Amino acid sequence: MNKMVLTGWIALVALAGDVRAADNTPPEGFTSLFNGRDFSGWKVPEGDNGHWQVIDGVIDYDALSEAKGDKSLYTEREFGDFVLHVDWRIKETPFINPNVPYILPDGTHARDITGKPMKLALPDSDSGIYLRGSGKNQVNIWCWPAGSGEFYGYRMDAKMPPEVRAAVTPRTQADNPVGEWNRFEITIRGDRVQVVLNGTTVIPDAQLPDIAPRGALALQHHGGMRDGQWVSPPSLVQFKNIYIKELVGP
């Protein structure tokens, strides 16, 4: 190897190292909730048996936690109002979900000419981010045509006013293809929330009635396997660059 080629190779290695070092390093004004090395600041579900892992600077999950109770990964701290940045990606979609609805802009499901809800069979994986400790306050991650970022728990709650259910429905689909990284920017003040996905505002200003004033964040477990086959969309996901800026005042 001549000197010029060797020098160029060393420079490329150094550049790659700089790029990796940039991950899990918070921007000014933000605090990192994940250090890229271990689960400091997080509660791994009791009995998980190593299915939530840190691999190459990312939180990696295989959707097979052996925990008997809640299998999701929670922060030790609780938070109130904040701006949250989270990078996430779906690794693969081995499950075909036969019950993906056709979601209309008002949050309801389209129906065929007989009045039955229309359903699509699509490759799917499913996860999300719980806000303030509750699955109802989940910012969804999945492969539905409506796109990630919705609040399924509120959209599907028939007791909620129509304007609430419409507001928690994504305005557009902004997901990158399966296997590629995505970035959420989630801002919550009181019971109002905004979700930006990959630079596109998918939830401009939604109300989450009766949401608790504070609570932990969580990365959601989803899915199950029977006889070696997935029977629901698994959370085959990874996370990194989890940064929070707590908000105070009006």
Side-chain angles (χ1 to χ4, degrees), residues 126-160:
D126 191 323
S127 185
I129 300 168
Y130 293 179
L131 308 182
R132 298 188 186 163
S134 171
K136 183 166 186 174
N137 316 325
Q138 177 190 181
V139 185
N140 286 87
I141 293 171
W142 50 22
C143 302
W144 291 16
S148 297
E150 83 151 324
F151 289 81
Y152 180 89
Y154 278 87
R155 185 179 64 79
M156 292 296 291
D157 186 347
K159 297 179 181 179
M160 287 290 136

mmCIF file of all heavy atoms in Angstrom, residues 126-160:
data_model
loop_
_atom_site.group_PDB
_atom_site.id
_atom_site.type_symbol
_atom_site.label_atom_id
_atom_site.label_comp_id
_atom_site.label_asym_id
_atom_site.label_seq_id
_atom_site.Cartn_x
_atom_site.Cartn_y
_atom_site.Cartn_z
ATOM 1 N N ASP A 126 -44.111 -2.956 14.884
ATOM 2 C CA ASP A 126 -44.872 -2.015 15.693
ATOM 3 C C ASP A 126 -44.123 -1.702 16.984
ATOM 4 O O ASP A 126 -43.707 -2.605 17.706
ATOM 5 C CB ASP A 126 -46.240 -2.633 16.022
ATOM 6 C CG ASP A 126 -47.215 -1.645 16.631
ATOM 7 O OD1 ASP A 126 -46.790 -0.790 17.426
ATOM 8 O OD2 ASP A 126 -48.410 -1.744 16.328
ATOM 9 N N SER A 127 -43.954 -0.423 17.259
ATOM 10 C CA SER A 127 -43.396 0.018 18.531
ATOM 11 C C SER A 127 -43.913 1.427 18.781
ATOM 12 O O SER A 127 -44.916 1.837 18.201
ATOM 13 C CB SER A 127 -41.858 -0.031 18.509
ATOM 14 O OG SER A 127 -41.320 0.287 19.776
ATOM 15 N N GLY A 128 -43.233 2.162 19.648
ATOM 16 C CA GLY A 128 -43.661 3.523 19.924
ATOM 17 C C GLY A 128 -42.965 4.088 21.138
ATOM 18 O O GLY A 128 -42.143 3.419 21.774
ATOM 19 N N ILE A 129 -43.305 5.323 21.442
ATOM 20 C CA ILE A 129 -42.713 6.034 22.578
ATOM 21 C C ILE A 129 -43.840 6.492 23.477
ATOM 22 O O ILE A 129 -44.721 7.255 23.050
ATOM 23 C CB ILE A 129 -41.877 7.224 22.095
ATOM 24 C CG1 ILE A 129 -40.744 6.726 21.185
ATOM 25 C CG2 ILE A 129 -41.309 8.004 23.272
ATOM 26 C CD1 ILE A 129 -40.037 7.815 20.429
ATOM 27 N N TYR A 130 -43.842 6.015 24.727
ATOM 28 C CA TYR A 130 -44.847 6.430 25.700
ATOM 29 C C TYR A 130 -44.438 7.781 26.281
ATOM 30 O O TYR A 130 -43.294 7.960 26.711
ATOM 31 C CB TYR A 130 -44.939 5.439 26.856
ATOM 32 C CG TYR A 130 -45.472 4.070 26.534
ATOM 33 C CD1 TYR A 130 -45.560 3.109 27.543
ATOM 34 C CD2 TYR A 130 -45.881 3.714 25.263
ATOM 35 C CE1 TYR A 130 -46.043 1.835 27.289
ATOM 36 C CE2 TYR A 130 -46.366 2.446 24.998
ATOM 37 C CZ TYR A 130 -46.439 1.504 26.015
ATOM 38 O OH TYR A 130 -46.909 0.248 25.754
ATOM 39 N N LEU A 131 -45.398 8.705 26.338
ATOM 40 C CA LEU A 131 -45.193 9.978 27.004
ATOM 41 C C LEU A 131 -45.871 9.950 28.367
ATOM 42 O O LEU A 131 -46.995 9.453 28.494
ATOM 43 C CB LEU A 131 -45.762 11.125 26.161
ATOM 44 C CG LEU A 131 -45.323 11.197 24.688
ATOM 45 C CD1 LEU A 131 -45.954 12.424 24.026
ATOM 46 C CD2 LEU A 131 -43.808 11.224 24.571
ATOM 47 N N ARG A 132 -45.177 10.441 29.381
ATOM 48 C CA ARG A 132 -45.721 10.555 30.742
ATOM 49 C C ARG A 132 -46.294 9.235 31.253
ATOM 50 O O ARG A 132 -47.323 9.191 31.916
ATOM 51 C CB ARG A 132 -46.747 11.669 30.810
ATOM 52 C CG ARG A 132 -46.150 13.046 30.480
ATOM 53 C CD ARG A 132 -47.128 14.154 30.744
ATOM 54 N NE ARG A 132 -46.625 15.445 30.300
ATOM 55 C CZ ARG A 132 -47.391 16.512 30.108
ATOM 56 N NH1 ARG A 132 -48.699 16.435 30.328
ATOM 57 N NH2 ARG A 132 -46.871 17.644 29.700
ATOM 58 N N GLY A 133 -45.608 8.146 30.933
ATOM 59 C CA GLY A 133 -45.832 6.882 31.616
ATOM 60 C C GLY A 133 -46.992 6.036 31.175
ATOM 61 O O GLY A 133 -47.248 4.989 31.773
ATOM 62 N N SER A 134 -47.708 6.414 30.124
ATOM 63 C CA SER A 134 -48.911 5.668 29.759
ATOM 64 C C SER A 134 -48.895 5.274 28.297
ATOM 65 O O SER A 134 -48.566 6.084 27.420
ATOM 66 C CB SER A 134 -50.164 6.507 30.039
ATOM 67 O OG SER A 134 -51.322 5.884 29.506
ATOM 68 N N GLY A 135 -49.330 4.036 28.020
ATOM 69 C CA GLY A 135 -49.436 3.568 26.656
ATOM 70 C C GLY A 135 -50.481 4.311 25.851
ATOM 71 O O GLY A 135 -50.404 4.353 24.623
ATOM 72 N N LYS A 136 -51.463 4.905 26.515
ATOM 73 C CA LYS A 136 -52.450 5.687 25.775
ATOM 74 C C LYS A 136 -51.796 6.903 25.133
ATOM 75 O O LYS A 136 -52.233 7.374 24.078
ATOM 76 C CB LYS A 136 -53.601 6.125 26.684
ATOM 77 C CG LYS A 136 -54.689 6.875 25.928
ATOM 78 C CD LYS A 136 -55.972 7.028 26.727
ATOM 79 C CE LYS A 136 -57.064 7.649 25.865
ATOM 80 N NZ LYS A 136 -58.369 7.704 26.543
ATOM 81 N N ASN A 137 -50.737 7.398 25.774
ATOM 82 C CA ASN A 137 -50.037 8.584 25.269
ATOM 83 C C ASN A 137 -48.873 8.178 24.368
ATOM 84 O O ASN A 137 -47.831 8.816 24.373
ATOM 85 C CB ASN A 137 -49.487 9.417 26.433
ATOM 86 C CG ASN A 137 -50.477 9.590 27.558
ATOM 87 O OD1 ASN A 137 -51.674 9.696 27.326
ATOM 88 N ND2 ASN A 137 -49.994 9.608 28.787
ATOM 89 N N GLN A 138 -49.064 7.140 23.598
ATOM 90 C CA GLN A 138 -47.984 6.590 22.793
ATOM 91 C C GLN A 138 -47.901 7.252 21.425
ATOM 92 O O GLN A 138 -48.913 7.347 20.718
ATOM 93 C CB GLN A 138 -48.186 5.081 22.597
ATOM 94 C CG GLN A 138 -47.130 4.463 21.704
ATOM 95 C CD GLN A 138 -47.465 3.046 21.309
ATOM 96 O OE1 GLN A 138 -46.713 2.397 20.605
ATOM 97 N NE2 GLN A 138 -48.602 2.539 21.757
ATOM 98 N N VAL A 139 -46.682 7.670 21.057
ATOM 99 C CA VAL A 139 -46.404 8.136 19.699
ATOM 100 C C VAL A 139 -46.039 6.891 18.897
ATOM 101 O O VAL A 139 -44.980 6.300 19.096
ATOM 102 C CB VAL A 139 -45.260 9.154 19.685
ATOM 103 C CG1 VAL A 139 -45.077 9.722 18.279
ATOM 104 C CG2 VAL A 139 -45.518 10.281 20.683
ATOM 105 N N ASN A 140 -46.899 6.477 17.993
ATOM 106 C CA ASN A 140 -46.752 5.174 17.342
ATOM 107 C C ASN A 140 -45.631 5.131 16.311
ATOM 108 O O ASN A 140 -45.378 6.092 15.596
ATOM 109 C CB ASN A 140 -48.056 4.768 16.668
ATOM 110 C CG ASN A 140 -49.107 4.332 17.670
ATOM 111 O OD1 ASN A 140 -49.839 5.154 18.191
ATOM 112 N ND2 ASN A 140 -49.155 3.043 17.961
ATOM 113 N N ILE A 141 -44.981 3.957 16.243
ATOM 114 C CA ILE A 141 -43.989 3.618 15.228
ATOM 115 C C ILE A 141 -44.470 2.327 14.574
ATOM 116 O O ILE A 141 -44.637 1.314 15.258
ATOM 117 C CB ILE A 141 -42.601 3.389 15.857
ATOM 118 C CG1 ILE A 141 -42.046 4.697 16.422
ATOM 119 C CG2 ILE A 141 -41.631 2.776 14.853
ATOM 120 C CD1 ILE A 141 -40.777 4.506 17.244
ATOM 121 N N TRP A 142 -44.695 2.369 13.257
ATOM 122 C CA TRP A 142 -45.163 1.179 12.566
ATOM 123 C C TRP A 142 -45.069 1.377 11.064
ATOM 124 O O TRP A 142 -44.472 2.345 10.603
ATOM 125 C CB TRP A 142 -46.579 0.815 12.985
ATOM 126 C CG TRP A 142 -47.593 1.915 12.959
ATOM 127 C CD1 TRP A 142 -47.541 3.085 12.228
ATOM 128 C CD2 TRP A 142 -48.813 1.976 13.691
ATOM 129 N NE1 TRP A 142 -48.636 3.857 12.455
ATOM 130 C CE2 TRP A 142 -49.451 3.203 13.359
ATOM 131 C CE3 TRP A 142 -49.450 1.124 14.577
ATOM 132 C CZ2 TRP A 142 -50.680 3.584 13.900
ATOM 133 C CZ3 TRP A 142 -50.669 1.503 15.107
ATOM 134 C CH2 TRP A 142 -51.268 2.715 14.771
ATOM 135 N N CYS A 143 -45.693 0.467 10.285
ATOM 136 C CA CYS A 143 -45.593 0.502 8.827
ATOM 137 C C CYS A 143 -46.932 0.816 8.169
ATOM 138 O O CYS A 143 -47.115 0.544 6.983
ATOM 139 C CB CYS A 143 -45.056 -0.831 8.304
ATOM 140 S SG CYS A 143 -43.457 -1.283 8.977
ATOM 141 N N TRP A 144 -47.863 1.371 8.916
ATOM 142 C CA TRP A 144 -49.179 1.654 8.357
ATOM 143 C C TRP A 144 -49.096 2.798 7.347
ATOM 144 O O TRP A 144 -48.312 3.730 7.514
ATOM 145 C CB TRP A 144 -50.156 2.021 9.464
ATOM 146 C CG TRP A 144 -50.507 0.883 10.369
ATOM 147 C CD1 TRP A 144 -49.839 -0.295 10.488
ATOM 148 C CD2 TRP A 144 -51.597 0.830 11.285
ATOM 149 N NE1 TRP A 144 -50.443 -1.101 11.421
ATOM 150 C CE2 TRP A 144 -51.533 -0.423 11.934
ATOM 151 C CE3 TRP A 144 -52.609 1.708 11.619
ATOM 152 C CZ2 TRP A 144 -52.461 -0.807 12.891
ATOM 153 C CZ3 TRP A 144 -53.539 1.328 12.583
ATOM 154 C CH2 TRP A 144 -53.454 0.074 13.201
ATOM 155 N N PRO A 145 -49.908 2.744 6.280
ATOM 156 C CA PRO A 145 -49.888 3.815 5.279
ATOM 157 C C PRO A 145 -50.151 5.200 5.861
ATOM 158 O O PRO A 145 -49.676 6.203 5.323
ATOM 159 C CB PRO A 145 -50.991 3.401 4.299
ATOM 160 C CG PRO A 145 -51.057 1.910 4.414
ATOM 161 C CD PRO A 145 -50.790 1.624 5.864
ATOM 162 N N ALA A 146 -50.909 5.270 6.963
ATOM 163 C CA ALA A 146 -51.173 6.569 7.588
ATOM 164 C C ALA A 146 -49.904 7.196 8.136
ATOM 165 O O ALA A 146 -49.842 8.417 8.324
ATOM 166 C CB ALA A 146 -52.199 6.404 8.710
ATOM 167 N N GLY A 147 -48.892 6.392 8.405
ATOM 168 C CA GLY A 147 -47.619 6.910 8.876
ATOM 169 C C GLY A 147 -47.458 6.836 10.379
ATOM 170 O O GLY A 147 -48.429 6.736 11.138
ATOM 171 N N SER A 148 -46.214 6.872 10.814
ATOM 172 C CA SER A 148 -45.902 6.886 12.240
ATOM 173 C C SER A 148 -46.174 8.281 12.818
ATOM 174 O O SER A 148 -46.253 9.267 12.093
ATOM 175 C CB SER A 148 -44.443 6.506 12.461
ATOM 176 O OG SER A 148 -44.185 5.190 12.027
ATOM 177 N N GLY A 149 -46.312 8.321 14.140
ATOM 178 C CA GLY A 149 -46.495 9.597 14.825
ATOM 179 C C GLY A 149 -47.872 9.807 15.411
ATOM 180 O O GLY A 149 -48.098 10.760 16.142
ATOM 181 N N GLU A 150 -48.826 8.928 15.088
ATOM 182 C CA GLU A 150 -50.172 9.129 15.631
ATOM 183 C C GLU A 150 -50.273 8.670 17.084
ATOM 184 O O GLU A 150 -49.397 7.970 17.612
ATOM 185 C CB GLU A 150 -51.199 8.380 14.777
ATOM 186 C CG GLU A 150 -51.355 6.909 15.098
ATOM 187 C CD GLU A 150 -52.770 6.394 14.778
ATOM 188 O OE1 GLU A 150 -53.741 7.145 14.961
ATOM 189 O OE2 GLU A 150 -52.886 5.234 14.374
ATOM 190 N N PHE A 151 -51.362 9.044 17.725
ATOM 191 C CA PHE A 151 -51.677 8.603 19.091
ATOM 192 C C PHE A 151 -52.871 7.653 18.995
ATOM 193 O O PHE A 151 -54.029 8.059 19.114
ATOM 194 C CB PHE A 151 -51.992 9.810 19.979
ATOM 195 C CG PHE A 151 -50.788 10.652 20.295
ATOM 196 C CD1 PHE A 151 -50.337 11.589 19.378
ATOM 197 C CD2 PHE A 151 -50.091 10.488 21.480
ATOM 198 C CE1 PHE A 151 -49.227 12.363 19.647
ATOM 199 C CE2 PHE A 151 -48.969 11.254 21.756
ATOM 200 C CZ PHE A 151 -48.527 12.197 20.843
ATOM 201 N N TYR A 152 -52.562 6.367 18.794
ATOM 202 C CA TYR A 152 -53.595 5.355 18.572
ATOM 203 C C TYR A 152 -54.577 5.309 19.733
ATOM 204 O O TYR A 152 -55.794 5.162 19.527
ATOM 205 C CB TYR A 152 -52.920 4.006 18.388
ATOM 206 C CG TYR A 152 -53.855 2.839 18.151
ATOM 207 C CD1 TYR A 152 -54.245 2.491 16.860
ATOM 208 C CD2 TYR A 152 -54.322 2.062 19.209
ATOM 209 C CE1 TYR A 152 -55.083 1.413 16.627
ATOM 210 C CE2 TYR A 152 -55.169 0.983 18.990
ATOM 211 C CZ TYR A 152 -55.543 0.669 17.706
ATOM 212 O OH TYR A 152 -56.378 -0.399 17.483
ATOM 213 N N GLY A 153 -54.067 5.423 20.958
ATOM 214 C CA GLY A 153 -54.928 5.319 22.127
ATOM 215 C C GLY A 153 -56.009 6.379 22.166
ATOM 216 O O GLY A 153 -57.116 6.138 22.654
ATOM 217 N N TYR A 154 -55.703 7.567 21.668
ATOM 218 C CA TYR A 154 -56.698 8.635 21.612
ATOM 219 C C TYR A 154 -57.551 8.539 20.345
ATOM 220 O O TYR A 154 -58.766 8.759 20.391
ATOM 221 C CB TYR A 154 -56.008 9.999 21.678
ATOM 222 C CG TYR A 154 -55.669 10.411 23.092
ATOM 223 C CD1 TYR A 154 -54.471 10.028 23.679
ATOM 224 C CD2 TYR A 154 -56.552 11.165 23.848
ATOM 225 C CE1 TYR A 154 -54.157 10.392 24.970
ATOM 226 C CE2 TYR A 154 -56.254 11.535 25.155
ATOM 227 C CZ TYR A 154 -55.050 11.146 25.715
ATOM 228 O OH TYR A 154 -54.751 11.497 27.010
ATOM 229 N N ARG A 155 -56.932 8.197 19.223
ATOM 230 C CA ARG A 155 -57.703 8.130 17.983
ATOM 231 C C ARG A 155 -58.780 7.061 18.046
ATOM 232 O O ARG A 155 -59.873 7.230 17.502
ATOM 233 C CB ARG A 155 -56.772 7.858 16.795
ATOM 234 C CG ARG A 155 -57.502 7.893 15.449
ATOM 235 C CD ARG A 155 -56.567 7.640 14.288
ATOM 236 N NE ARG A 155 -55.984 6.312 14.331
ATOM 237 C CZ ARG A 155 -56.594 5.199 13.946
ATOM 238 N NH1 ARG A 155 -57.847 5.242 13.506
ATOM 239 N NH2 ARG A 155 -55.979 4.036 13.997
ATOM 240 N N MET A 156 -58.497 5.956 18.730
ATOM 241 C CA MET A 156 -59.438 4.844 18.796
ATOM 242 C C MET A 156 -60.395 4.927 19.985
ATOM 243 O O MET A 156 -61.236 4.050 20.152
ATOM 244 C CB MET A 156 -58.664 3.529 18.850
ATOM 245 C CG MET A 156 -57.914 3.207 17.568
ATOM 246 S SD MET A 156 -59.016 2.959 16.167
ATOM 247 C CE MET A 156 -59.808 1.418 16.650
ATOM 248 N N ASP A 157 -60.287 5.970 20.785
ATOM 249 C CA ASP A 157 -61.161 6.128 21.949
ATOM 250 C C ASP A 157 -62.455 6.810 21.506
ATOM 251 O O ASP A 157 -62.491 8.020 21.256
ATOM 252 C CB ASP A 157 -60.456 6.958 23.017
ATOM 253 C CG ASP A 157 -61.251 7.046 24.314
ATOM 254 O OD1 ASP A 157 -62.449 6.671 24.322
ATOM 255 O OD2 ASP A 157 -60.687 7.508 25.326
ATOM 256 N N ALA A 158 -63.518 6.028 21.410
ATOM 257 C CA ALA A 158 -64.801 6.548 20.922
ATOM 258 C C ALA A 158 -65.390 7.613 21.837
ATOM 259 O O ALA A 158 -66.279 8.369 21.427
ATOM 260 C CB ALA A 158 -65.794 5.406 20.751
ATOM 261 N N LYS A 159 -64.884 7.693 23.078
ATOM 262 C CA LYS A 159 -65.385 8.700 24.014
ATOM 263 C C LYS A 159 -64.769 10.071 23.768
ATOM 264 O O LYS A 159 -65.247 11.077 24.313
ATOM 265 C CB LYS A 159 -65.117 8.258 25.452
ATOM 266 C CG LYS A 159 -65.843 6.980 25.851
ATOM 267 C CD LYS A 159 -65.504 6.587 27.282
ATOM 268 C CE LYS A 159 -66.205 5.290 27.679
ATOM 269 N NZ LYS A 159 -65.858 4.876 29.079
ATOM 270 N N MET A 160 -63.712 10.109 22.962
ATOM 271 C CA MET A 160 -63.055 11.371 22.678
ATOM 272 C C MET A 160 -63.850 12.168 21.648
ATOM 273 O O MET A 160 -64.432 11.598 20.724
ATOM 274 C CB MET A 160 -61.635 11.127 22.153
ATOM 275 C CG MET A 160 -60.658 10.658 23.205
ATOM 276 S SD MET A 160 -60.287 11.977 24.386
ATOM 277 C CE MET A 160 -60.366 11.056 25.937
#
